[in-house]
Amino acid sequence: MIFLATTAMFLTNCSSSDKKSGKQSEQEAEQTLALDESPIYTELTKVPLPCSKDSLYYAWKEIGVIDAAKKKSLDYRQHTPTLFISTDLDGDGNPEVLLRGEAPYAAIYTFVKGALHLITFVDRPEMGLAITPEGIILRNGVGNNGSSISEFIRLKDSKNETSGAIRESFVIKDGVMVSGGTRYMLQNDSALVEVSKDEYLAVAPQQEGTYLEDIEGWEDFRKP
């Protein structure tokens, strides 16, 4: 799966990254209207924390050692959780835990069969995590080489049921940065494959999400 710890990926705003000058088709106009009218605030229902804080700490710390080349230079103070919310994003009875540390560090885990599993994380200020009112996870921001990326993860039974991404590249033309093209991708087995815009919009979230820092109800991880 593309959003597991080994290859966590994630998201820019789906409603704006592919807009071009000129007239929009009726379908595009309807899509934009649907996004504009969707609720923009997500309220999460809390559930009991499914594991010890020690387990969360060590799971969080592992994010910092994925790249062995950086292991010696890591400042682990930046990799200490400070806030958390335990919730159930897909309503399957298995909790998800949202964790935040010093900005921009954040991560989301699911807890299944007594173990924590990383769904996604951010470790750069150019990226952000958000949750839609439907419980879909969004990650968006600036990818490699200045490209923008917008990704979503829809969970079912605490697993990645559907995921997709929009990637827009940029090139310098006559001294000006312009769009180099937009790619739409959806999950196919364990990989992302390119699809048409219509195919992507047919399964992509119809609502914008609330960024983690704007969600209310965070609890202090450092309190007993």
Side-chain angles (χ1 to χ4, degrees):
M1 294 300 203
I2 61 166
F3 293 99
L4 295 180
T6 55
T7 54
M9 301 171 55
F10 302 86
L11 316 133
T12 45
N13 192 316
C14 297
S15 63
S16 62
S17 65
D18 61 343
K19 287 185 180 178
K20 298 179 181 179
S21 60
K23 295 183 178 180
Q24 289 180 307
S25 67
E26 292 183 3
Q27 182 178 2
E28 289 174 319
E30 290 174 0
Q31 176 71 16
T32 302
L33 181 62
L35 286 170
D36 288 343
E37 291 184 347
S38 296
I40 59 173
Y41 180 73
T42 303
E43 184 175 355
L44 298 177
T45 300
K46 293 183 182 180
V47 301
L49 192 65
C51 59
S52 69
K53 289 184 179 178
D54 283 345
S55 297
L56 282 170
Y57 170 77
Y58 287 113
W60 171 272
K61 187 175 179 180
E62 284 300 311
I63 297 174
V65 298
I66 289 175
D67 186 350
K70 296 180 181 179
K71 191 171 182 179
K72 292 183 179 180
S73 63
L74 282 176
D75 181 354
Y76 282 111
R77 289 175 299 176
Q78 294 180 319
H79 292 268
T80 301
T82 56
L83 300 170
F84 75 94
I85 292 178
S86 183
T87 187
D88 186 358
L89 295 178
D90 58 353
D92 68 341
N94 292 315
E96 279 73 50
V97 182
L98 286 58
L99 280 177
R100 291 169 58 193
E102 295 182 20
Y105 297 98
I108 300 176
Y109 296 86
T110 190
F111 188 80
V112 182
K113 296 181 179 180
L116 288 163
H117 302 272
L118 179 65
I119 300 173
T120 183
F121 71 93
V122 293
D123 60 356
R124 295 186 292 132
E126 298 86 3
M127 301 295 290
L129 284 176
I131 308 292
T132 75
E134 296 176 335
I136 298 172
I137 301 167
L138 309 177
R139 177 179 164 177
N140 59 70
V142 179
N144 295 329
N145 302 318
S147 62
S148 68
I149 185 166
S150 174
E151 303 171 340
F152 74 89
I153 311 169
R154 182 182 285 110
L155 297 175
K156 183 178 181 181
D157 298 329
S158 298
K159 296 180 181 179
N160 178 359
E161 179 194 35
T162 311
S163 54
I166 298 176
R167 295 177 182 173
E168 183 175 14
S169 61
F170 296 92
V171 296
I172 303 296
K173 186 176 182 179
D174 298 327
V176 178
M177 182 175 289
V178 298
S179 175
T182 303
R183 300 173 63 198
Y184 299 86
M185 289 168 287
L186 290 174
Q187 170 191 319
N188 185 356
D189 295 328
S190 59
L192 284 177
V193 297
E194 191 163 358
V195 297
S196 69
K197 180 178 180 179
D198 288 344
E199 288 175 310
Y200 180 88
L201 293 179
V203 298
Q206 301 300 303
Q207 296 175 313
E208 294 181 348
T210 303
Y211 283 97
L212 297 193
E213 56 266 32
D214 296 323
I215 292 176
E216 297 179 353
W218 291 90
E219 298 182 52
D220 191 338
F221 187 87
R222 296 160 294 188
K223 287 186 176 181

